[in-house]
């Protein structure tokens, strides 16, 4: 089984709809991240969480919210989806204090907002 | 200002030859780490190699090596003996601050698409 899983893997939705992307990990890592990937822009950080009680905004958090339900679960919500949120979304995990602090990525969720 | 710059949108290499993918970075933090990830057409992100700012030697991992030139703020990825399976998007990324204090956040470059010809 994969260490970091994302559901759904693909999603098509309409403008204005609420959508949730879920991430689960079995690595036991404290830190979790949400990124989005757009062509020509690389990956950009949306939100990150150091533990269940610690959630922080990243570079592009507007229009998104997150929930850390447990150490192993970190969900990303689009409250009212818009077309420019069409992207490939990645969840990642890492463990602090480990050098290097490598991030391990899930397989990604392809989201299309019509 | 861009913290990580990959100036090569696309690169081509003949199978079995070596190729260098460029990455320059910008930081005033004396402690940082540089990562390279591979993204095949299937989409997953695969960690390849890491270089810490205080590492005295260039990092190597099998056919991957990192040409780290600190004064020039460059961290180029060298792939030796290219294989068809190396065709993918490659991302350079930087983490500022040391391990446990850095919050682990990565800043990514735009990526370089590598195509290996038979």
């Amino acid at each position: 089984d994969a260490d970091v899983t994302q559901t759904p893997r693909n999603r098509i939705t309409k403008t204005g709809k609420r959508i949730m992307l879920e991430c689960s990990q079995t690595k036991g890592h404290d830190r979790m991240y949400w990124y989005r990937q757009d062509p020509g822009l690389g990956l950009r950080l949306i939100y990150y969480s150091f533990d269940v009680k610690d959630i922080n905004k990243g570079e592009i958090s507007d229009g998104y919210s997150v929930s850390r339900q447990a150490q192993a679960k970190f969900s990303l919500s689009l409250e009212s989806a818009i077309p420019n949120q069409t992207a490939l979304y990645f969840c990642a995990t890492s463990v602090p204090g480990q050098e290097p602090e490598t991030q391990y990525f899930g397989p990604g969720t392809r989201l299309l907002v019509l | 200002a861009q913290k990580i710059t990959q100036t090569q949108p696309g690169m081509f290499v003949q199978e079995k030859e070596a190729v260098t993918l460029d990455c320059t970075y910008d930081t005033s933090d004396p402690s940082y780490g540089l990562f390279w990830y591979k993204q095949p057409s299937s989409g997953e992100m695969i960690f390849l190699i890491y270089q810490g700012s205080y590492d005295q030697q260039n990092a190597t991992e099998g056919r991957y090596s990192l040409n780290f030139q600190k004064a020039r703020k460059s961290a180029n990825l060298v792939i030796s003996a290219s294989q068809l399976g190396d065709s993918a998007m490659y991302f350079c990324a930087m983490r500022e601050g040391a391990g446990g204090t850095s919050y682990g956040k990565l800043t990514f470059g735009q990526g370089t698409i590598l195509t290996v010809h038979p």
Side-chain angles (χ1 to χ4, degrees):
Chain A
D1 288 341
D3 295 321
V4 185
T5 57
Q6 293 183 234
T7 54
R9 294 293 312 278
N10 295 279
R11 180 73 184 265
I12 300 173
T13 192
K14 294 182 179 180
T15 297
K17 294 290 188 181
R18 183 179 188 276
I19 182 172
M20 180 181 288
L21 309 183
E22 298 188 351
C23 176
S24 294
Q25 53 118 346
T26 58
K27 299 183 79 66
H29 289 176
D30 289 325
R31 294 181 173 178
M32 298 186 75
Y33 312 81
W34 275 105
Y35 292 90
R36 65 176 279 177
Q37 181 181 1
D38 298 278
L41 294 178
L43 279 72
R44 292 179 293 166
L45 183 63
I46 306 172
Y47 270 95
Y48 59 103
S49 170
F50 293 164
D51 61 39
V52 175
K53 297 180 181 179
D54 183 86
I55 291 177
N56 305 277
K57 292 182 177 181
E59 180 186 351
I60 51 164
S61 59
D62 287 349
Y64 301 95
S65 62
V66 291
S67 173
R68 185 84 183 264
Q69 302 94 323
Q71 187 204 36
K73 296 185 182 297
F74 193 34
S75 301
L76 177 72
S77 293
L78 288 67
E79 296 301 326
S80 179
I82 56 177
N84 76 1
Q85 291 177 313
T86 293
L88 178 58
Y89 289 84
F90 285 104
C91 174
T93 73
S94 69
V95 57
Q98 202 180 63
E99 190 64 21
E101 188 176 334
T102 303
Q103 290 191 16
Y104 297 91
F105 285 79
T109 294
R110 293 189 183 274
L111 176 65
L112 173 61
V113 182
L114 300 175
Chain B
Q2 283 276 45
K3 288 197 171 185
I4 292 283
T5 303
Q6 295 179 253
T7 57
Q8 305 155 315
M11 288 286 286
F12 296 89
V13 66
Q14 206 71 25
E15 193 178 10
K16 300 181 184 178
E17 294 186 349
V19 63
T20 298
L21 306 184
D22 294 343
C23 173
T24 58
Y25 60 91
D26 183 26
T27 181
S28 57
D29 195 325
S31 180
Y32 54 90
L34 296 155
F35 298 77
W36 278 91
Y37 283 85
K38 173 184 178 181
Q39 185 179 44
S41 58
S42 52
E44 72 267 32
M45 295 286 287
I46 303 168
F47 166 68
L48 295 178
I49 196 168
Y50 167 82
Q51 180 84 42
S53 59
Y54 296 119
D55 293 344
Q56 294 297 312
Q57 294 188 331
N58 287 342
T60 61
E61 288 286 349
R63 294 185 298 110
Y64 304 108
S65 61
L66 206 153
N67 183 2
F68 182 46
Q69 298 188 44
K70 198 169 182 176
R72 292 187 174 185
K73 294 188 175 180
S74 73
N76 299 338
L77 177 70
V78 181
I79 305 174
S80 63
S82 297
Q83 302 172 355
L84 296 178
D86 293 334
S87 293
M89 174 79 86
Y90 289 80
F91 290 100
C92 179
M94 177 174 65
R95 184 207 67 220
E96 293 173 283
T101 64
S102 73
Y103 304 115
K105 294 185 293 177
L106 293 179
T107 303
F108 284 82
Q110 309 93 315
T112 295
I113 299 175
L114 176 66
T115 303
V116 181
H117 289 303

